[in-house]
Each structure stands twice: as C-alpha cells, then as structure tokens.
Amino acid sequence: DGGPDAPPLDVVVQPREAMGFIIGRQGCVINSIERECGVRIRVVRDDEPPKMIVTGPEEATKAAEKLILARLGEWHATGGRGATTGGPVNDWAGGERFGEETVFVELPREALGFIIGRQGASISVIEHECKVRIRVLRDHRPPGVQVQGPPHGCERSRRMLQDRLEEWRASGPGARGPSAAGPGA
C-alpha cells in the first residue's frame, strides 16, 4: 500500500489535440502509467481546459503527473505529430516505461543522412547495441534525434551519435564514402 490517498491532482492537457497521444492506442499509455505508479487516472475531455484527474498516494500522483507531462512534452517536441511522424522507429506509441528516459540529441540537418546510414543501418545498429528506440526529427527546430530507453543506453547512444557526427565532420559535409553505410558495413 502506498499510504493514504492525497487530494486529486488535476493535470491540464493543452492543447486538446495532445490528449489522444498522451492516452495512447487503446489507452496503453495511461494504463501503463496507472500500473507503474499505482494511481487511477480519469480523463476529462469536456472541461476547459481538458485535464486528467490523478488519484492515489501523494508520491504516486506526482510521479504520474511527471510521466503525463513528459508525454505532453514529447507531443510538443514533435510539432504536435506525436507517434504519427515517420522515421526509423514506427512503434513510438508506448511512451516512456518506468525507469526509462527520453533525451534529445541535436544534430545538423545536413548530417542526418550520413548519421542515419543507408536504409537506417547506423541507427539500427545503435538501437540494437544500446537497447534504445531512436526517432529522427528532421523538421524539429533544432533538428536531431530523440532517444528513448534505459539511462545507460541513452548515454551510450548519445556518444555513438556524436562519434558518427565527428566521422561526418572529418570526411567533409556531403560525404558519401564507404562509412556512409554505417558501423560494420
């Protein structure tokens, strides 16, 4: 038992269009937050502004609020496209899992093709080796990639992405040499 329930916590969701992304497919994100934090979440779409009412022990409601706001931040970071944007990772609807983090790695737009590698080869290697999911945000300002996974995997992938950027810089912008296929190619 997480202790006595705190007063309900209202988490405002603005804009209204972000609500579906926060909830997730068939409620998978909200259900996951409820399970992981030990809270109940009631979605109130008709209020102005729309909100989610979180009930449970105080520490758990604050943890759930943090996860909801992180998901809202992800929606804003992708320009309101959320899980519908393209990129090497198409299964982004699950949201952060407990103990995971999401980091943004800024990269020059002109280097993205080189960093991604042919048919996403470099990104796939980094995802596999670091046990993370990577989403390329070409239209984001500034451009870069979003990495989601365990903290040590996010840090390792950040280093690998920076190494790939240094390789691009060393070979000159627009390079399409043998290393453009990615690590181990």
Side-chain angles (χ1 to χ4, degrees):
D1 184 28
D5 280 0
L9 178 65
D10 290 0
V11 181
V12 174
V13 177
Q14 284 286 32
R16 182 179 307 279
E17 293 77 30
M19 191 70 85
F21 180 72
I22 295 169
I23 294 168
R25 277 190 205 118
Q26 298 177 340
C28 68
V29 175
I30 288 299
N31 292 339
S32 174
I33 292 172
E34 285 181 326
R35 279 191 310 275
E36 291 170 12
C37 297
V39 298
R40 288 288 308 143
I41 300 173
R42 186 166 60 95
V43 176
V44 185
R45 295 176 193 248
D46 297 332
D47 277 11
E48 195 52 53
K51 63 186 172 190
M52 296 183 174
I53 301 173
V54 184
T55 55
E58 185 174 5
E59 200 170 303
T61 59
K62 290 191 183 309
E65 177 187 36
K66 185 176 178 183
L67 291 173
I68 291 167
L69 293 175
R71 186 80 171 157
L72 179 60
E74 183 180 336
W75 186 87
H76 282 289
T78 59
R81 291 183 300 266
T84 62
T85 59
V89 178
N90 294 322
D91 184 24
W92 205 259
E96 273 188 25
R97 292 177 182 87
F98 191 71
E100 286 192 348
E101 67 181 24
T102 300
V103 297
F104 178 77
V105 180
E106 183 178 340
L107 298 165
R109 182 172 278 108
E110 56 275 9
L112 288 176
F114 183 87
I115 291 168
I116 293 166
R118 284 194 197 112
Q119 298 180 344
S122 295
I123 293 294
S124 294
V125 167
I126 294 170
E127 286 179 322
H128 179 74
E129 288 184 11
C130 300
K131 309 275 190 277
V132 297
R133 292 176 303 283
I134 297 176
R135 172 185 227 156
V136 178
L137 302 173
R138 291 180 189 272
D139 297 328
H140 190 268
R141 295 188 198 285
V145 296
Q146 188 173 15
V147 182
Q148 183 178 342
H152 65 278
C154 288
E155 182 53 37
R156 183 169 177 221
S157 64
R158 179 193 307 269
R159 286 192 308 269
M160 290 176 78
L161 288 162
Q162 291 298 329
D163 289 348
R164 190 83 173 128
L165 178 59
E166 290 308 313
E167 186 180 341
W168 174 79
R169 286 183 174 140
S171 61
R176 291 289 178 255
S179 62

